[in-house]
Amino acid sequence: MKAVIDIRNKKNKISRHIYGHFSEHLGRCVYGGYWVGEDSPIPNINGIRTDIVEAMKAIKVPNIRWPGGCFADDYNWMDGIGPKETRPPMVNTHWGGVLENNHFGTHEFMDLCEQIGCEPYICGNVGSGTVREMRNWVEYLTDDGNSPMAQLRRKNGRDRAWDIQFFGIGNENWGCGGFMKAEYYANEFRRYATYARNYKSMGETNWWQVAPLIKIAGGSNAEDLQWTETLMREAGRFMGGLSVHCYVKPGEESSGTVFSKDSWYQTAVNTLNKESLLKQNISIMDFYDPEKRVLMAVDEWGMWVDNEPGTNNAFLFQQNTMRSAMSAALMLHIFQKYSDRIRLCNLAQTINVLQAIIFTEGAKMVKTPTYHLFDLFKKHQDSYYVPVAWDEKPKSIKMGLPNADISASASDNGKVFITIVNLSADDKAEIVLNFAGRKARSVKGGFISGEVTAHNTFDNPNRVQVQELNDIQVVNGEALLSLFPCTIAAVEAELE
Ligand code: AHR
């Protein structure tokens, strides 16, 4: 197979925000995941685990969506500010009825983002909250003036307003966020978004569309095109973004770790099938917004497999394997392909929940194959998308799949970055990368690999980890690679 990467065809910038993450008050994502409290023997800064912050910095996490999910539409932000001992608890009705003590609230989340060096993406409450509550939250977060909420924030120890770019107006309001009809939610969006003011650009004309606050409407689960159509028609001009959720199921063999190679292939098919769904949503957005002003936010995505046996079903604790990393790689390739519209994405859900990148157990921490996948992909962040053409097409393997899936980008300094998935669980992939008249001077890279069920545990934390890719030759300016079965590689080429 020979892929041709012609950097003269480079397109739009791939926003770094498509490599974002989603963290909900669900199971052990926040408590035991990020948050251990200031008095914990586990190393922390202001109650936030240091090992987690370091791990997330290392893969350049660009943003985190919080506090939900379904939880967001039941959350009153006022309960999560002020002295911890006076914060009223609540029952987390969506996720197991556990008591939420509200010790991790707005200041703690914003501190987490500052420690990591990433942007916050806050999701407001439409389902059970009032317009005033949401309005006040935005004022509390973003007003540098002397408004009542800015003064309250100062009283709680934070002088400067935070910079917030992304703000969600509800979540899945067709489901857990209030079971609303599309027309009804479109009106609610308009109303709530009106009062989520842009304190940093007060007084400008078209103030409802002006940056920095990008107001993101709660979107469909990708299949409900009617929802997308109604929202764009009725509220598109008031939006900065529209969300779409995109979970992948593996088919019949849905255990997290016990499955056959067929499930690897079925998962690849199920993931690639999401492209046409996303495309249909994009077409609707293109019709109402041909300038592509409104970003698509795939703000919940990832694999959804069986919960690990013996764990609390409401906590969605799921193992993840090379199969999960492969599915994430294919999905990121899709996001990259449509990155002129898809400009914000959030993998569900960071720590101990769904397709986590990290697991914790007391003081222990382990990185999953999906973590290493994000490490491999980080050089695509803010690079320019370059479509890949074929001199020799990939051959077809099981279930009509190509034997490899490739995506490329070019950086400002002319380096070319290519990520490749060998979709065969049985055979090596021999790949030639051609640079359309340009010659590669040097090519280096890394990869993750293992049998389809390979995964990391506290006892065996490095079963899947990034290794150096040694099997690269440069011949006449082309790069020749040989990838093991079931491998994801990332290659950087410097051209002459
Ligand atoms: O990620 C778990 C849940 O899935 C989220 O809370 C909800 O938005 C979605 O249905």
Side-chain angles (χ1 to χ4, degrees), residues 22 24 26 65 68-72 94-95 171-172 174 176 245 247 300 304 316 348-349 353-354:
F22 165 45
E24 181 168 8
L26 193 177
R65 177 175 183 251
C70 296
F71 180 81
H94 284 290
W95 305 115
N171 168 75
E172 292 195 354
W174 44 268
C176 64
H245 289 177
Y247 286 105
E300 286 186 31
W304 196 305
L316 307 183
Q349 299 202 3
V353 173
L354 293 172

Side-chain angles (χ1 to χ4, degrees), residues 102-353:
N102 276 311
H103 284 189
F104 190 90
T106 301
H107 289 253
E108 291 74 23
F109 173 65
M110 296 307 296
D111 186 20
L112 168 71
C113 292
E114 286 182 342
Q115 289 190 35
I116 293 172
C118 73
E119 287 194 37
Y121 170 13
I122 292 187
C123 185
N125 179 344
V126 170
S128 70
T130 63
V131 176
R132 178 152 294 276
E133 272 164 38
M134 186 185 286
R135 176 220 171 277
N136 283 351
W137 200 5
V138 172
E139 187 170 282
Y140 189 92
L141 288 160
T142 62
D143 183 28
D144 254 327
N146 282 315
S147 63
M149 290 300 120
Q151 291 184 28
L152 180 60
R153 183 191 67 236
R154 289 191 191 106
K155 194 173 141 228
N156 288 330
R158 172 78 185 196
D159 182 26
R160 271 181 311 113
W162 290 284
D163 288 323
I164 309 264
Q165 191 181 185
F166 305 119
F167 195 87
I169 310 289
N171 168 75
E172 292 195 354
N173 300 91
W174 44 268
C176 64
F179 286 110
M180 299 174 193
K181 294 188 174 162
E183 284 78 7
Y184 181 83
Y185 173 70
N187 278 334
E188 289 294 85
F189 174 84
R190 293 167 65 129
R191 197 161 71 100
Y192 279 75
T194 303
Y195 298 97
R197 299 283 189 191
N198 250 314
Y199 288 85
K200 301 235 160 86
S201 55
M202 281 278 176
E204 298 201 26
T205 41
N206 286 4
W207 51 265
W208 60 89
Q209 284 183 351
V210 176
L213 202 63
I214 296 175
K215 297 167 202 173
I216 297 163
S220 78
N221 65 354
E223 271 142 37
D224 187 352
L225 299 175
Q226 189 55 39
W227 182 274
T228 302
E229 206 277 330
T230 307
L231 264 285
M232 284 306 294
R233 175 168 29 87
E234 299 298 333
R237 73 197 169 94
F238 298 100
M239 281 175 204
L242 176 60
S243 103
V244 167
H245 289 177
C246 196
Y247 286 105
V248 174
K249 302 245 166 100
E252 305 233 311
E253 295 184 75
S254 55
S255 153
T257 51
V258 185
F259 53 86
S260 68
K261 286 179 183 169
D262 277 352
S263 174
W264 160 274
Y265 292 114
Q266 189 59 56
T267 299
V269 170
N270 294 356
T271 308
L272 291 172
N273 281 345
K274 296 290 180 187
E275 177 175 354
S276 77
L277 269 181
L278 289 171
K279 246 166 86 175
Q280 290 173 65
N281 283 281
I282 288 171
S283 300
I284 295 168
M285 293 182 77
D286 286 348
F287 178 79
Y288 288 102
D289 173 37
E291 291 84 32
K292 297 188 188 285
R293 187 188 60 77
V294 181
L295 62 82
M296 177 184 277
V298 188
D299 54 16
E300 286 186 31
W301 69 276
M303 276 199 82
W304 196 305
V305 298
D306 291 348
N307 299 330
E308 280 298 280
T311 60
N312 184 333
N313 256 334
F315 284 9
L316 307 183
F317 176 67
Q318 303 176 4
Q319 239 309 353
N320 91 59
T321 58
M322 276 304 296
R323 179 184 65 178
S324 326
M326 173 273 290
S327 173
L330 297 181
M331 194 67 99
L332 287 170
H333 283 181
I334 296 172
F335 297 160
Q336 286 162 196
K337 185 166 170 190
Y338 298 97
S339 52
D340 57 344
R341 175 68 78 180
I342 301 179
R343 304 198 289 269
L344 173 63
C345 302
N346 305 83
L347 178 74
Q349 299 202 3
T350 326
I351 313 169
N352 299 326
V353 173

